[in-house]
Amino acid sequence: MASSFNVENADGYERLMGRWSKRLAPGFIDFAGLADGESVLDVGCGTGSLTFTLAERPGLKSITAIDFSPVFVEAASQRNTDPRITIQEADACALPFEDESFDRAFSLLVLHFVPEAGRAVAEMRRVVRRGGTVAAAAWDHYGGMSGMRMMWDTVAMIDSNARAMRHRYSFQPMMRPGEMKASFLGNGLVDVEETSLTIRMDYDSFDDYWAPIAAGEGPLGKYVTGLDAYTRTRVDTAVRDAYEAGEPDGPRSFASVAWACRGRAPD
């Protein structure tokens, strides 16, 4: 299995996470680095948050984007109007490119959904040239995603079946401090640096926050849509109460942190 992320439709994903990926992308690019004339691979492009942010740099030679989900590939392809961008379906753990094909290989908010994340890092290392850069970021679900943890902690108090799922959500690959750095070093990258990147997820209302999950998007969405009617009503009510926290429904803002790592292929 190359991905554990549950995809219902591209628009739902945009509401759940794509809009926040776009907000994180510029800071990730600044950390990862870019130079004019380079070719860049986006591993796990989703609906194109990183791909189209990269395309804002006119000096890039080419941008190749891959994703395991045909839903995402179709959505990103429909948006694309830049001749430098190529988008295709592919597996992060078996990239369909020759060795040393790119100057840089990036992966934004994907590796934690790849069960064999180390293989994906190894593949990114393989396809960059000597001296090229590999960079990736993954959400810190345990300690850095206050808005999402609020949901999981609330649900786990209602349904004991959700506790194991909360554990899996909190400790997916590449989420612990130093874990991504160790993988980069173990796969032969040098000058490896790890940091954290922070954005805020701003919601207009409870519906803005809950609707994509209620529709089945993402790991929590898959869980919620599988509940019986009684438990579903309890969950909906409890999560709304947690979101509102005693205040009228309306805007809320949650700090969200991702681990980011970069390394260089040896010369």
Side-chain angles (χ1 to χ4, degrees):
M1 182 171 62
S3 174
S4 61
F5 190 83
N6 184 60
V7 182
E8 290 295 317
N9 64 73
D11 290 340
Y13 170 79
E14 279 294 301
R15 290 194 67 188
L16 175 68
M17 198 56 64
R19 52 181 165 168
W20 313 126
S21 302
K22 292 174 186 175
R23 188 170 289 188
L24 186 66
F28 172 69
I29 292 171
D30 288 344
F31 170 72
L34 279 180
D36 287 351
E38 290 187 329
S39 59
V40 182
L41 173 65
D42 179 3
V43 177
C45 64
T47 53
S49 297
L50 178 59
T51 301
F52 298 119
T53 304
L54 286 167
E56 295 172 6
R57 307 292 181 99
L60 288 180
K61 178 183 177 182
S62 66
I63 303 162
T64 302
I66 69 103
D67 202 280
F68 189 70
S69 167
V71 174
F72 285 155
V73 170
E74 180 180 2
S77 297
Q78 288 177 352
R79 289 181 56 195
N80 183 36
T81 60
D82 192 321
R84 297 173 301 162
I85 296 175
T86 302
I87 304 168
Q88 66 185 81
E89 189 175 339
D91 184 346
C93 295
L95 295 172
F97 308 110
E98 299 293 330
D99 295 358
E100 301 185 32
S101 295
F102 302 94
D103 296 296
R104 299 179 192 262
F106 294 165
S107 183
L108 180 64
L109 306 177
V110 173
L111 291 184
H112 48 311
F113 292 115
V114 179
E116 295 179 286
R119 285 186 58 190
V121 173
E123 280 291 274
M124 294 170 71
R125 156 73 179 84
R126 178 183 66 79
V127 300
V128 297
R129 62 168 172 79
R130 297 178 186 181
T133 299
V134 172
W139 290 122
D140 178 4
H141 280 179
Y142 177 78
M145 293 288 281
S146 57
M148 299 298 169
R149 274 298 304 272
M150 182 178 74
M151 295 185 204
W152 278 111
D153 290 343
T154 300
V155 171
M157 292 295 291
I158 294 172
D159 180 12
S160 61
N161 294 324
R163 293 173 188 168
M165 297 181 66
R166 178 180 60 179
H167 177 267
R168 289 195 296 273
Y169 172 85
S170 297
F171 297 105
Q172 289 170 280
M174 304 297 180
M175 287 188 171
R176 300 173 193 257
E179 185 178 3
M180 203 180 313
K181 183 176 182 178
S183 182
F184 274 42
L185 290 168
N187 281 290
L189 293 161
V190 299
D191 300 331
V192 176
E193 297 182 40
E194 186 177 84
T195 191
S196 61
L197 304 173
T198 302
I199 64 165
R200 297 198 71 87
M201 294 182 176
D202 300 307
Y203 298 93
D204 295 331
S205 64
F206 176 70
D207 182 69
D208 188 31
Y209 171 84
W210 185 241
I213 292 169
E217 290 297 335
L220 184 54
K222 184 177 181 180
Y223 159 79
V224 166
T225 54
L227 292 173
D228 63 81
Y230 172 73
T231 306
R232 174 66 187 270
T233 299
R234 293 184 66 202
V235 165
D236 288 350
T237 301
V239 175
R240 176 183 284 276
D241 183 67
Y243 177 90
E244 294 177 353
E247 291 288 320
D249 189 14
R252 300 291 190 273
S253 182
F254 300 93
S256 303
V257 181
W259 292 111
C261 194
R262 70 182 177 210
R264 183 175 57 84
D267 294 323

